[in-house]
Amino acid sequence: MNARFGTGSAGDQTALTVNGATVLADASGALFWPDRGLLVVADLHLEKGSAFAARGTLLPPYDTAATLARLEATCRRLAPRRVLCLGDSFHDPRAGARVSADDGRRLAGLIQAHDWLWVVGNHDPAPPPDWGGQVVDDWVEGPLVFRHEAQDITTAGEISGHYHPKASVPTRARRVGGRCFITDGHRLVLPAFGAYTGGLDVRDAALRRLFPGAFSIVLLHRDRGYAFQSAHILGDDWPRTGTV
């Protein structure tokens, strides 16, 4: 596999430049902006397991605990001043009421320890107000604008989630897949951070319309990050323009 960054530990990071700002794609699936002390996560989908159980699809009811454990570990390691959740933090409008007492205390502790921002998403248009934190439609800081879903018209410096991007790339031995960051230097889409979140392949038309030219990804696989250019993912026959 080409272009591995870091040492292979869970703390691996790679630097990306978006609209002039240097941000770090962390192997946890979070994005960190060191100059602003800002940690960004997308699509936690807390209590997705209990939502599926209510509809008769039984999943182990530990997704919220697993997601919060990874978020706690990431916050301890990176010590952000502000945490920004890019929407769909709760799987549905009633998810907050289903969070267990233990998980609720963990979430409350995270919120109290940081300047916490909830960006509204399509699954949680009104994040539960009793958890604390500030609810915003989007957030502008310096050259970057943060929102849940990317706009069709490119906004310079747009950082978003929603699509749960993933990729599969060929190696000498086999294809390797996983969640990924995707960027063309003008906008960036984060992978989903939640434990029970699927993904949309970067070759899907919904993502290709956002990145019609060349792009790069940071593929997350077994707590490591791997950087690839779009030509490696799409192959020589895929139409593309521009450079990264």
Side-chain angles (χ1 to χ4, degrees):
M1 182 174 285
N2 69 342
R4 196 184 91 178
F5 61 86
T7 63
S9 71
D12 282 356
Q13 297 174 335
T14 193
L16 302 171
T17 301
V18 182
N19 200 31
T22 299
V23 293
L24 302 177
D26 190 80
S28 67
L31 190 74
F32 187 51
W33 190 3
D35 288 350
R36 301 295 177 107
L38 177 63
L39 183 73
V40 186
V41 292
D43 300 283
L44 303 178
H45 283 272
L46 300 176
E47 290 304 310
K48 183 174 182 177
S50 61
F52 272 61
R55 298 196 298 269
T57 301
L58 299 181
L59 296 171
Y62 308 121
D63 56 307
T64 294
T67 299
L68 291 178
R70 187 162 71 252
L71 186 54
E72 285 174 330
T74 304
C75 286
R76 282 196 302 269
R77 178 164 47 83
L78 299 178
R81 179 179 61 85
R82 173 176 290 155
V83 176
L84 177 60
C85 297
L86 283 184
D88 287 1
S89 302
F90 296 86
H91 187 67
D92 59 75
R94 295 176 296 279
R98 299 197 304 273
V99 173
S100 71
D102 285 345
D103 289 338
R105 284 190 289 270
R106 300 172 74 181
L107 180 56
L110 283 167
I111 294 169
Q112 291 168 8
H114 305 88
D115 180 6
W116 200 274
L117 296 171
W118 303 106
V119 172
V120 300
N122 56 292
H123 279 258
D124 53 0
D130 48 323
W131 290 112
Q134 180 182 355
V135 177
V136 297
D137 290 326
D138 52 36
W139 183 260
V140 178
E141 189 159 335
L144 303 181
V145 55
F146 300 88
R147 57 172 56 99
H148 175 61
E149 183 176 357
Q151 296 181 344
D152 287 338
I153 299 174
T154 302
T155 301
E158 181 186 72
I159 308 289
S160 62
H162 180 67
Y163 288 99
H164 305 196
K166 67 177 183 179
S168 176
V169 298
T171 71
R172 283 183 295 233
R174 59 192 175 92
R175 295 191 71 87
V176 174
R179 301 174 297 146
C180 69
F181 298 82
I182 177 171
T183 183
D184 59 5
H186 302 289
R187 67 174 13 144
L188 182 148
V189 178
L190 273 73
F193 197 86
Y196 279 176
T197 49
L200 184 68
D201 195 284
V202 296
R203 296 170 295 181
D204 189 275
L207 282 168
R208 293 297 291 138
R209 68 180 172 80
L210 298 176
F211 299 95
F215 59 85
S216 60
I217 70 166
V218 177
L219 176 69
L220 307 179
H221 180 70
R222 294 182 179 176
D223 293 328
R224 297 179 181 179
Y226 300 85
F228 294 94
Q229 299 297 313
S230 53
H232 189 89
I233 305 162
L234 302 179
D236 294 335
D237 296 332
W238 198 280
R240 57 186 181 275
T241 60
T243 58
V244 174

